[in-house]
Amino acid sequence: MVLVFRSHCNLESWTSPLMNLSWMKWMGVDLRHYSKQVELELQQIEQKSIRDYIQESENIASLHNQITACDAVLERMEQMLGAFQSDLSSISSEIRTLQEQSGAMNIRLRNRQAVRGKLGELVDGLVVPSALVTAILEAPVTEPRFLEQLQELDAKAAAVREQEARGTAACADVRGVLDRLRVKAVTKIREFILQKIYSFRKPMTNYQIPQTALLKYRFFYQFLLGNERATAKEIRDEYVETLSKIYLSYYRSYLGRLMKVQYEEVAEKDDLMGVEDTAKKGFFSKPSLRSRNTIFTLGTRGSVISPTELEAPILVPHTAQRGEQRYPFEALFRSQHYALLDNSCREYLFICEFFVVSGPAAHDLFHAVMGRTLSMTLKHLESYLADCYDAIAVFLCIHIVLRFRNIAAKRDVPALDRYWEQVLALLWPRFELILEMNVQSVRSTDPQRLGGLDTRPHYITRRYAEFSSALVSINQTIPNERTMQLLGQLQVEVENFVLRVAAEFSSRKEQLVFLINNYDMMLGVLMERAADDSKEVESFQQLLNARTQEFIEELLSPPFGGLVAFVKEAEALIERGQAERLRGEEARVTQLIRGFGSSWKSSVESLSQDVMRSFTNFRNGTSIIQGALTQLIQLYHRFHRVLSQPQLRALPARAELINIHHLMVELKKHKPNF
């Protein structure tokens, strides 16, 4: 009982005094008395607890019985759960078995589905539906259903070939049917395409219409290519032979009729820049072209390479003949080669699309069709150039080819690249030869054989100016260094020629007038077409300025030569510090002052008239007069400065000097206006 009591006792009531033992001792409490008191309290609590247990004994017995019953129930539950555990173990093994069986069934299902798909594809590829048979045997080739079923037949034939390569025995069951359908389809397609090709041969037929119609059925040739290569080759060969003859016949006829509308008079070997106008020809020779200004003058001929004219409709010869129209060679060349370019581009694209070729194969097939036509065109051009002496026409043809080559590149048609190179290989040497012939003609020209000479611009320099400006303006669009080199050689020879002709004049003044007139004329013509910063313009501008300055000095020399000489001498003395020597020139200075004051107006008037008579270009004459008057004012101003020196400052004649500003006002009255 004591143990029970102690186990149910509140430990706090025990521990608290013990913890405070030291404190009670310190406070003077009697520990023995306190111990007895605690023991008494424990006994009381023990007795009370015993009475409580006795009172609850029935409840405790009932609780014991309940606990015993619960143990029995829990034992039965343990047995039941053990049975359940064994049952679940057996179910788990069954589930694993079912899972394994399900996985195996899934594998078998997927295998069967795969086999079914393969077999379905195989059966679908081998089975020949009645719609296909009906369309191939009965439908016209132009009907859409024939094309649809032909594509189906092509797919089935490809599938059968693939299965046969794999050793599929079922292919033998449908091979015969497919072969008969293929033969029937090939026969119908062959007849249809050959009929279209033969329609090209009919006279007055626009072959481009049936050619365009063939593109709608380009799969026909693809079918032949995959199923009957011999027939495909037959059709291709027939197309090549037919179109080759058609193009050759068309261009030969067109070229022949086109050349009939060329100008009747063309440049000949004697129509060169340095040939004299007085040159005699035979009694039966044709008249010269020098009067027509078309050999060395560009005029409106340059429009042939403008964007609007370059791709304009081709010339129609019979229409031009009815209207009695004539054209230069470059216009005929442009029309011929634009037709060739347009048809070649269309033909190349058709060949690539219909015959399913590209790259070198497309080039070979294109040249099989167009080769004879291109060769004929080259031979004709070579024959024409052998007797052509029109350098401007040849140069325009070169630039036409360069532009057409760019157009072909933009259209992605490289098949003509070799042809363009061959044409340029004919044109460039001829152009250079004609230029060299003109250079040689100018070099070998003898001024003494030119007859009567005057100071006006010479016809040879005018020819050069027109010719050079024409080539420079054309060359600016697509620059070529070789052309500029040849023009440089020609320019050197023309400059030398002008100097040789000028040497034929007896006086230096006439020589300068001749040089200035020719330089001015050549510069004016060049500036109309060439750029202001071109080499030719800069060169002749420098020559003109130098000769103009020399002429002005030559012009001022007779009336004012004494004044010029004195001013130069006096300035030289002043510069050397010998101004004292001017004191001995008083008489000379007085004579110069009075001579200038009495004659300058008449001298300026005579000078102006002389200039306007000497120069054909009024604007140039005006510029020269203005330059001469400006130089005269500068000269008189320098004369004033010399007279302001101390040695001459007291000279009485200084009072007779004309005021500079008054002189400028008076000289302005002599400035001509045009």
Side-chain angles (χ1 to χ4, degrees):
M1 295 296 289
V2 174
L3 293 173
V4 172
F5 167 77
R6 286 179 178 176
S7 63
H8 289 82
C9 200
N10 187 358
L11 295 177
E12 183 179 355
S13 63
W14 289 90
T15 57
S16 179
L18 291 174
M19 292 176 63
N20 297 324
L21 181 61
S22 59
W23 179 78
M24 288 189 296
K25 185 176 181 180
W26 181 76
M27 291 295 295
V29 178
D30 189 358
L31 295 178
R32 295 178 181 177
H33 177 75
Y34 181 74
S35 172
K36 292 180 180 180
Q37 184 180 353
V38 170
E39 184 177 359
L40 180 62
E41 289 178 357
L42 290 174
Q43 291 176 356
Q44 291 176 356
I45 291 171
E46 182 179 5
Q47 292 296 325
K48 185 178 179 179
S49 176
I50 291 172
R51 287 193 299 272
D52 290 340
Y53 273 104
I54 294 173
Q55 289 177 359
E56 297 295 331
S57 59
E58 294 180 359
N59 293 335
I60 292 172
S62 175
L63 177 62
H64 176 72
N65 294 333
Q66 291 177 1
I67 291 172
T68 304
C70 286
D71 288 341
V73 172
L74 290 175
E75 184 178 358
R76 290 194 299 272
M77 288 293 294
E78 182 179 5
Q79 294 174 356
M80 291 175 62
L81 290 175
F84 286 155
Q85 183 177 6
S86 61
D87 292 342
L88 288 174
S89 298
S90 62
I91 290 173
S92 177
S93 62
E94 291 177 0
I95 289 174
R96 285 195 296 270
T97 304
L98 290 174
Q99 287 178 342
E100 293 174 357
Q101 293 176 355
S102 176
M105 291 177 66
N106 285 334
I107 292 173
R108 289 195 296 272
L109 177 61
R110 286 195 297 269
N111 292 338
R112 289 176 181 178
Q113 288 177 343
V115 171
R116 179 182 178 183
K118 296 293 184 180
L119 289 175
E121 292 178 2
L122 177 62
V123 172
D124 291 341
L126 296 179
V127 172
V128 182
S130 59
L132 188 150
V133 176
T134 303
I136 297 299
L137 296 179
E138 300 177 1
V141 295
T142 55
E143 288 190 3
R145 66 188 181 110
F146 178 84
L147 180 59
E148 294 174 1
Q149 296 303 324
L150 183 67
Q151 293 173 340
E152 181 70 19
L153 175 61
D154 185 59
K156 288 187 177 299
V160 168
R161 287 194 296 270
E162 182 181 356
Q163 294 301 327
E164 284 179 340
R166 297 178 180 179
T168 304
C171 296
D173 298 337
V174 295
R175 167 53 67 185
V177 177
L178 291 177
D179 285 344
R180 289 192 292 273
L181 290 174
R182 179 180 58 80
V183 171
K184 182 64 176 178
V186 167
T187 303
K188 294 175 70 173
I189 291 172
R190 176 182 177 277
E191 293 176 356
F192 172 75
I193 297 179
L194 288 179
Q195 183 181 3
K196 288 290 184 182
I197 294 174
Y198 293 152
S199 66
F200 297 168
R201 302 175 180 178
K202 296 179 181 179
M204 306 301 293
T205 298
N206 185 357
Y207 65 90
Q208 294 177 1
I209 296 176
Q211 191 181 52
T212 304
L214 273 178
L215 286 177
K216 299 178 182 178
Y217 307 102
R218 55 183 174 272
F219 182 74
F220 288 176
Y221 185 79
Q222 297 178 22
F223 179 81
L224 295 178
L225 204 60
N227 296 274
E228 192 63 39
R229 286 189 171 272
T231 304
K233 183 177 184 302
E234 177 191 2
I235 288 176
R236 188 180 67 177
D237 293 343
E238 192 65 33
Y239 177 86
V240 169
E241 182 67 19
T242 299
L243 266 295
S244 177
K245 291 180 179 179
I246 289 175
Y247 280 124
L248 180 62
S249 175
Y250 169 76
Y251 275 100
R252 180 182 288 124
S253 174
Y254 180 69
L255 195 54
R257 289 183 283 116
L258 197 63
M259 296 306 293
K260 293 180 180 179
V261 296
Q262 185 184 9
Y263 284 130
E264 293 181 357
E265 295 182 351
V266 295
E268 298 179 354
K269 62 180 179 179
D270 293 328
D271 294 315
L272 299 173
M273 190 175 299
V275 175
E276 302 87 353
D277 275 344
T278 56
K280 301 292 184 179
K281 289 196 174 184
F283 182 77
F284 296 101
S285 62
K286 295 188 295 184
S288 175
L289 282 178
R290 297 184 197 90
S291 60
R292 292 184 53 243
N293 294 327
T294 57
I295 302 176
F296 306 106
T297 305
L298 184 62
T300 59
R301 298 170 66 182
S303 62
V304 74
I305 58 174
S306 64
T308 54
E309 288 289 332
L310 192 65
E311 299 186 60
I314 64 173
L315 299 177
V316 182
H318 63 270
T319 303
Q321 286 179 329
R322 283 202 301 265
E324 296 183 352
Q325 294 177 324
R326 297 288 176 175
Y327 300 93
F329 176 72
E330 65 271 9
L332 309 182
F333 182 88
R334 196 274 327 167
S335 180
Q336 170 201 351
H337 280 80
Y338 184 65
L340 186 65
L341 169 69
D342 202 40
N343 284 282
S344 296
C345 290
R346 185 182 293 107
E347 186 63 33
Y348 180 80
L349 296 176
F350 173 83
I351 286 173
C352 292
E353 190 171 358
F354 185 80
F355 291 103
V356 198
V357 290
S358 61
H363 284 222
D364 294 341
L365 188 55
F366 172 81
H367 285 287
V369 175
M370 299 294 298
R372 297 168 64 186
T373 302
L374 298 179
S375 297
M376 181 273 298
T377 306
L378 287 172
K379 289 180 180 178
H380 175 270
L381 179 62
E382 184 177 9
S383 175
Y384 179 85
L385 291 177
D387 197 33
C388 176
Y389 297 92
D390 189 348
I392 293 179
V394 177
F395 197 53
L396 285 172
C397 291
I398 290 173
H399 279 262
I400 289 171
V401 171
L402 295 176
R403 284 160 174 77
F404 281 165
R405 184 170 62 180
N406 293 336
I407 293 174
K410 290 179 181 178
R411 296 183 183 181
D412 197 19
V413 178
L416 285 173
D417 289 350
R418 181 183 175 188
Y419 174 76
W420 299 131
E421 294 298 331
Q422 291 174 328
V423 173
L424 291 175
L426 294 175
L427 292 172
W428 274 116
R430 189 62 189 180
F431 172 70
E432 294 177 1
L433 175 63
I434 299 173
L435 266 183
E436 290 173 358
M437 292 175 64
N438 280 282
V439 170
Q440 183 60 35
S441 69
V442 175
R443 182 185 297 123
S444 59
T445 300
D446 185 2
Q448 295 181 354
R449 296 178 55 190
L450 298 178
L453 297 176
D454 55 35
T455 58
R456 292 175 298 178
H458 198 272
Y459 60 84
I460 292 181
T461 57
R462 181 171 294 279
R463 291 175 186 173
Y464 163 76
E466 295 287 351
F467 182 73
S468 180
S469 65
L471 296 189
V472 169
S473 63
I474 297 171
N475 194 62
Q476 285 175 348
T477 57
I478 303 179
N480 179 267
E481 187 62 29
R482 176 59 179 162
T483 303
M484 301 310 298
Q485 292 176 359
L486 293 172
L487 283 177
Q489 296 177 12
L490 182 60
Q491 179 181 346
V492 170
E493 295 302 329
V494 170
E495 291 177 3
N496 293 336
F497 166 76
V498 172
L499 293 176
R500 291 200 305 271
V501 175
E504 296 295 318
F505 293 95
S506 57
S507 68
R508 182 56 180 169
K509 181 179 177 182
E510 289 181 334
Q511 294 177 359
L512 292 173
V513 170
F514 176 80
L515 292 174
I516 292 173
N517 277 330
N518 281 272
Y519 291 153
D520 178 65
M521 181 273 299
M522 290 188 284
L523 182 63
V525 174
L526 283 170
M527 292 183 66
E528 289 179 2
R529 297 187 179 273
D532 292 341
D533 58 349
S534 65
K535 294 180 180 179
E536 292 79 8
V537 171
E538 291 180 0
S539 174
F540 284 113
Q541 186 68 61
Q542 293 174 0
L543 291 173
L544 178 61
N545 292 340
R547 294 297 177 263
T548 299
Q549 183 61 34
E550 185 180 353
F551 176 77
I552 290 175
E553 294 177 359
E554 189 74 21
L555 189 66
L556 294 176
S557 180
F560 307 107
L563 184 63
V564 172
F566 172 76
V567 169
K568 289 182 179 180
E569 293 174 5
E571 289 176 342
L573 291 174
I574 295 171
E575 186 177 356
R576 294 196 301 267
Q578 301 175 358
E580 288 298 328
R581 294 176 59 182
L582 294 176
R583 296 184 184 278
E585 301 289 340
E586 294 179 355
R588 181 182 177 187
V589 171
T590 301
Q591 183 181 0
L592 290 174
I593 293 174
R594 291 173 179 172
F596 183 86
S598 62
S599 64
W600 73 268
K601 290 185 178 181
S602 59
S603 298
V604 168
E605 184 66 29
S606 175
L607 179 149
S608 299
Q609 294 178 1
D610 187 19
V611 169
M612 299 314 298
R613 284 194 303 266
S614 300
F615 298 102
T616 56
N617 185 347
F618 289 156
R619 183 176 289 108
N620 185 41
T622 302
S623 176
I624 292 175
I625 292 174
Q626 188 173 357
L629 297 180
T630 301
Q631 191 162 333
L632 178 60
I633 292 173
Q634 294 174 352
L635 174 65
Y636 202 66
H637 182 65
R638 290 161 60 192
F639 184 58
H640 270 254
R641 285 189 302 184
V642 170
L643 296 184
S644 65
Q645 295 295 317
Q647 293 80 5
L648 300 175
R649 192 176 299 166
L651 187 68
R654 288 187 73 251
E656 301 178 25
L657 284 173
I658 301 174
N659 184 272
I660 290 293
H661 297 289
H662 176 71
L663 180 63
M664 293 173 62
V665 172
E666 290 296 325
L667 288 178
K668 284 183 180 179
K669 297 178 182 180
H670 293 272
K671 178 183 176 182
N673 296 312
F674 297 97

